Amino acid sequence: MNKIPITVVVSVKNEELNLPHCLEKLSSFSEIIVVDSQSTDNTPKIVEQFGYQLINFTWNGKYPKKRNWTLQNIPLKNDWILFLDADEFLTNQFIEEVGHKIKNTSASGFWIYYNNYFMGKEQKYGLKMRKLALFKKDKGVYEKIEEDLWSHLDMEIHEHPIIEGPVSTIKSTIQHKDYKGLEHYIARHNAYSSWEANRFLALKKEGIKHLTLRQKLKYNLITSGLLPSLYFFGTYILKLGFLDGVTGFHFARYKAHYFFQIQTKITELKTKI
């Protein structure tokens, strides 16, 4: 069987719980590379068991982070690159569609939508996650942000891919399902909110003209102080998140609190300037 000519890059650190579920879905692709931030658990052994390429990455606190570093330093077999996290699992429908789409497209990149799981249950309603995670290696790069050691996040999380050329959409979704539980979810989003707060203050100096419409809307709503309430109302009421039951309520509350964290951290950082 001919393999799909896409290089899948999985960025990891201590992902022994999620990684097997991710890697077992990738056999249809012609190249799989796992870029690891010096894991101390069984992550390297799992990659070895699957027979995929493992590359170690050490961040020095400056540009580039993990994904741009991979694009700049690792020989990639294919023109198309799919960036995945260890808690993102491909479906058969997605694999079939993406294999067809890249053969018959003028696009340089594709938006990918996710079926999100929270506390073990699929969230069928609410606002849908999406990422611009599939693009041609010579047509895309993640935006460069001078962080000045805002956090220990060595991978592009909120940095937006800048794509040269048209962008399309893969209709079939993939699964976003983290097996590490709420404690990890809370710790991760605490780190994300610190990054977002520092990024917001930096943008006050740089301006927001270069951002996407979605990014501009987010930062304008953060300025207004309305984002936590509007997010909860939008995802839980307007997008019918309440139909997901108690986990739909918990997910909306946690996400709204995440934006509240960003706002209060911005307030605290301003007092230190």
Side-chain angles (χ1 to χ4, degrees):
M1 186 181 87
N2 292 329
K3 299 281 188 176
I4 299 172
I6 292 177
T7 294
V8 182
V9 177
V10 187
S11 303
V12 299
K13 181 177 182 180
N14 294 332
E15 287 288 357
E16 64 182 6
L17 294 179
N18 290 315
L19 191 57
H21 304 280
C22 176
L23 296 184
E24 69 183 7
K25 306 293 186 181
L26 304 182
S27 60
S28 298
F29 299 91
S30 66
E31 185 175 43
I32 293 91
I33 299 174
V34 179
V35 185
D36 181 26
S37 297
Q38 311 296 323
S39 290
T40 56
D41 66 357
N42 289 320
T43 291
K45 292 182 181 179
I46 292 169
V47 179
E48 181 181 357
Q49 290 169 0
F50 277 89
Y52 295 145
Q53 183 178 0
L54 177 68
I55 295 174
N56 285 308
F57 172 72
T58 301
W59 188 44
N60 63 3
K62 301 178 182 178
Y63 180 90
K65 287 188 173 184
K66 189 181 292 185
R67 286 172 173 158
N68 275 335
W69 179 85
T70 300
L71 288 169
Q72 295 170 11
N73 293 279
I74 304 303
L76 303 173
K77 176 179 178 181
N78 300 300
D79 291 333
W80 285 95
I81 312 300
L82 173 61
F83 284 100
L84 291 180
D85 296 336
D87 58 1
E88 296 170 350
F89 314 140
L90 303 189
T91 62
N92 292 334
Q93 294 86 349
F94 176 90
I95 294 170
E96 182 178 354
E97 180 180 350
V98 79
H100 174 73
K101 280 283 183 67
I102 64 167
K103 296 177 182 178
N104 303 278
T105 185
S106 59
S108 297
F110 288 92
W111 286 103
I112 295 171
Y113 283 84
Y114 295 76
N115 286 345
N116 191 49
Y117 285 73
F118 188 71
M119 297 177 67
K121 181 180 178 182
E122 181 181 358
Q123 303 301 289
K124 296 181 179 180
Y125 301 92
L127 295 172
K128 296 301 181 183
M129 291 175 52
R130 70 170 189 170
K131 292 182 183 178
L132 217 174
L134 174 63
F135 52 83
K136 290 184 175 180
K137 64 183 178 183
D138 60 345
K139 297 293 185 180
V141 65
Y142 287 85
E143 62 182 324
K144 181 179 181 179
I145 297 177
E146 300 293 346
E147 286 203 14
D148 192 25
L149 296 176
W150 296 343
S151 70
H152 298 292
L153 300 174
D154 68 353
M155 182 175 70
E156 296 85 351
I157 302 296
H158 300 287
E159 290 90 336
H160 185 72
I162 301 169
I163 305 298
E164 178 185 342
V167 175
S168 187
T169 300
I170 302 296
K171 294 181 180 179
S172 301
T173 58
I174 71 176
Q175 295 180 339
H176 178 250
K177 188 175 184 180
D178 190 351
Y179 286 90
K180 293 183 178 180
L182 272 179
E183 183 176 359
H184 177 258
Y185 177 91
I186 293 169
R188 185 177 63 191
H189 281 78
N190 183 44
Y192 292 172
S193 63
S194 295
W195 187 95
E196 289 267 30
N198 282 281
R199 173 63 171 149
F200 176 86
L201 293 181
L203 284 171
K204 297 289 284 185
K205 301 176 182 178
E206 301 171 14
I208 63 173
K209 291 182 179 180
H210 63 289
L211 300 181
T212 66
L213 181 61
R214 190 167 181 164
Q215 287 174 315
K216 290 177 182 178
L217 177 61
K218 179 178 72 174
Y219 286 118
N220 283 328
L221 287 175
I222 286 175
T223 300
S224 72
L226 297 174
L227 186 53
S229 298
L230 288 177
Y231 181 89
F232 181 85
F233 180 78
T235 194
Y236 190 66
I237 304 298
L238 295 182
K239 292 294 183 177
L240 307 180
F242 62 88
L243 294 178
D244 285 318
V246 66
T247 57
F249 175 76
H250 290 329
F251 181 72
R253 282 290 303 272
Y254 270 108
K255 286 289 288 186
H257 183 69
Y258 168 67
F259 294 120
F260 178 71
Q261 283 183 293
I262 297 171
Q263 289 182 182
T264 51
K265 287 180 180 181
I266 289 170
T267 301
E268 182 181 55
L269 287 172
K270 283 181 177 178
T271 65
K272 299 178 180 179
I273 297 176

